[in-house]
Amino acid sequence: MATNKKLNKLGIALVGLGKYASGQLAPALKETKNCYLAGIVTGSSEKAEKWKTKYEIPESNIYNYENFDSIRDNPDIDIVYVVLPNALHKEYVIRAAAAGKHVICEKPMAITESDCDEMIEACRKAGKLLSIGYRLHFEPHNQEVMRLGQDKVFGNIKSIVADNGMEGTEGWRLDKTLAGGGPLMDVGIYCVQAACYTTGMEPVAVRAKELPKTKPEIFKTIEESISWEMEFPNGLVASCKCSYVEELNRLHAEAQKGWFELSPAYEYKGIKGKTVLNTMNFPEVNQQALQMDDFAEAVTNNRPSPVPGEMGKRDVKILQAIYRAMETGKKVQIKSSKYSLI
Ligand code: NDP
């Protein structure tokens, strides 16, 4: 087969051309150094036509969900990036690995921990790398928070507050079958991530409470807002909240000798940070471009991704525990991961 591969760059195929793929990932792939947009997988022939012209994608690199498995025979595609509704991540990660491709999967990795196990095993068996779309690990303010917390620059952290929310959502995010849950799965996962990377630990127990619905006619199968607490091994507690009816975007850590915080903390752009001593001053970066370039580099150099499937699984385990705590009203213990992660 004639190859359209660009010199020295790995080819990425985006699966699911929704808001995130079209608004963030495809534009970011114009700025990447180690990879480029080589192909697409879509259920929409209209989108296929548009993308073909806009991004100069050859017809032979355009797939639908039925013929997706034949991507195996396409040397232009090295990496498949799954950007579908949450409940579809598992099937397409497993199919991508079986087709011999490295995989990036959007957050949350899947709906259950056992789904994550199957995805990790499929990639392991195929000898392919798997990573999660955790873009903030490549963002300088969030990286600074990791340094301040994990290196105990202000001493041991005593408490964390992490909130993330937005006013309004639509489509599959309102459907528990496709989303796996409500704002906790979608935006609360950033608070779970933040508490883990700020402390460098994983929680040992959680408590959670669903907040009363103000729009029960919209949030029929999912929570509208939820608050929860994550208890870490040294007794530190992270108090978190997420919502689909309130704008929230903050990470605050109180340590023995001072505090540090990001607000907004989890956006694509405009993240701002402060500490008890000063205001953070880091450049604006294209998070998605850095994230995809790092993965392409990991593939090329055969090294692990800093945001591997195991981290996605750890977070899904925590999300499931939070839902169990919400449903039972009881504190739920969490078993620690075998794989050491921050
Ligand atoms: P959208 O609804 O905008 O797009 C999802 C796309 O998936 C659709 O456009 C469609 O693409 C395809 N699709 C296939 N089957 C279905 C189905 N049954 N119902 C709906 N869509 C379907 O979602 P987003 O782009 O906002 O989110 C996609 C994933 O990316 C989610 O897992 C989300 O959590 C994650 N995400 C991550 C972000 C981050 O910052 N890391 C930010 C936003 C989202 P097509 O028409 O091409 O087939």
Side-chain angles (χ1 to χ4, degrees):
M1 187 201 255
T3 175
N4 297 290
K5 214 165 171 68
K6 294 198 178 155
L7 210 58
N8 295 327
K9 288 192 174 192
L10 298 188
I12 294 195
L14 295 176
V15 186
L17 309 180
K19 275 204 192 116
Y20 192 55
S22 58
Q24 305 301 324
L25 298 176
L29 280 163
K30 292 199 157 201
E31 294 188 26
T32 40
K33 297 186 187 80
N34 307 328
C35 51
Y36 73 105
L37 179 59
I40 49 174
V41 184
T42 177
S44 156
S45 45
E46 271 172 38
K47 286 186 196 171
E49 270 314 302
K50 265 200 201 149
W51 282 61
K52 183 178 156 184
T53 319
K54 185 167 180 192
Y55 293 103
E56 296 174 354
I57 298 169
E59 187 69 46
S60 54
N61 291 0
I62 299 178
Y63 296 86
N64 57 43
Y65 301 117
E66 286 72 43
N67 67 16
F68 168 61
D69 307 278
S70 62
I71 206 164
R72 153 195 310 282
D73 306 317
N74 191 334
D76 285 354
I77 313 296
D78 304 285
I79 296 165
V80 164
Y81 195 152
V82 177
V83 206
L84 294 163
N86 307 341
L88 306 178
H89 292 176
K90 173 182 161 185
E91 176 187 341
Y92 285 86
V93 167
I94 292 173
R95 283 170 70 179
K101 305 298 177 185
H102 300 279
V103 194
I104 309 176
C105 175
E106 256 319 316
K107 45 61 48 179
M109 179 171 170
I111 309 304
T112 68
E113 195 183 348
S114 69
D115 290 344
C116 298
D117 280 328
E118 286 181 53
M119 294 154 83
I120 291 168
E121 178 55 17
C123 293
R124 194 200 57 77
K125 224 169 96 191
K128 298 292 154 188
L129 278 188
L130 169 61
S131 80
I132 309 301
Y134 286 143
R135 56 184 166 78
L136 291 171
H137 284 253
F138 306 91
E139 195 284 318
H141 298 81
N142 279 270
Q143 287 173 331
E144 175 66 354
V145 154
M146 294 174 200
R147 185 185 76 83
L148 295 174
Q150 292 174 25
D151 293 354
K152 304 187 195 297
V153 172
F154 294 108
N156 285 327
I157 298 177
K158 294 186 295 183
S159 64
I160 287 181
V161 176
D163 296 331
N164 197 11
M166 56 188 174
E167 253 186 284
T169 192
E170 55 181 7
W172 61 266
R173 283 182 169 80
L174 292 169
D175 175 359
K176 191 173 180 186
T177 319
L178 280 171
L184 180 65
M185 296 296 277
D186 193 30
V187 292
I189 189 169
Y190 288 93
C191 306
V192 169
Q193 267 272 304
C196 293
Y197 60 65
T198 306
T199 59
M201 294 187 281
E202 50 176 303
V204 290
V206 289
R207 290 179 191 275
K209 197 167 80 179
E210 180 174 9
L211 302 175
K213 288 184 185 179
T214 59
K215 296 178 179 166
E217 69 288 359
I218 294 176
F219 303 102
K220 289 189 191 121
T221 60
I222 57 165
E223 78 278 4
E224 178 184 289
S225 303
I226 175 173
S227 67
W228 74 99
E229 283 183 357
M230 292 188 278
E231 196 181 301
F232 287 84
N234 59 356
L236 181 171
V237 171
S239 307
C240 306
K241 181 181 173 187
C242 69
S243 174
Y244 273 154
V245 291
E246 197 181 345
E247 294 289 342
L248 305 163
N249 208 310
R250 180 167 177 248
L251 168 62
H252 181 93
E254 284 290 334
Q256 286 164 315
K257 292 182 273 174
W259 54 267
F260 50 97
E261 77 168 16
L262 302 181
S263 177
Y266 319 110
E267 303 277 13
Y268 304 146
K269 288 197 161 68
I271 293 175
K272 291 194 169 54
K274 275 193 237 162
T275 76
V276 64
L277 299 178
N278 54 27
T279 301
M280 293 181 196
N281 183 17
F282 294 108
E284 189 92 79
V285 297
N286 187 320
Q287 301 169 18
Q288 289 85 357
L290 292 176
Q291 173 213 320
M292 291 187 281
D293 265 345
D294 183 81
F295 187 64
E297 215 236 321
V299 167
T300 303
N301 295 330
N302 199 18
R303 61 145 169 95
S305 160
V307 286
E310 285 79 1
M311 181 181 277
K313 171 183 155 171
R314 176 202 68 191
D315 297 341
V316 168
K317 174 181 69 178
I318 297 169
L319 297 176
Q320 281 193 279
I322 294 169
Y323 278 130
R324 263 202 317 280
M326 179 186 95
E327 280 151 18
T328 59
K330 294 193 174 128
K331 175 161 156 175
V332 171
Q333 306 289 337
I334 303 177
K335 273 199 213 144
S336 75
S337 302
K338 285 191 199 124
Y339 190 94
S340 163
L341 294 158
I342 43 172

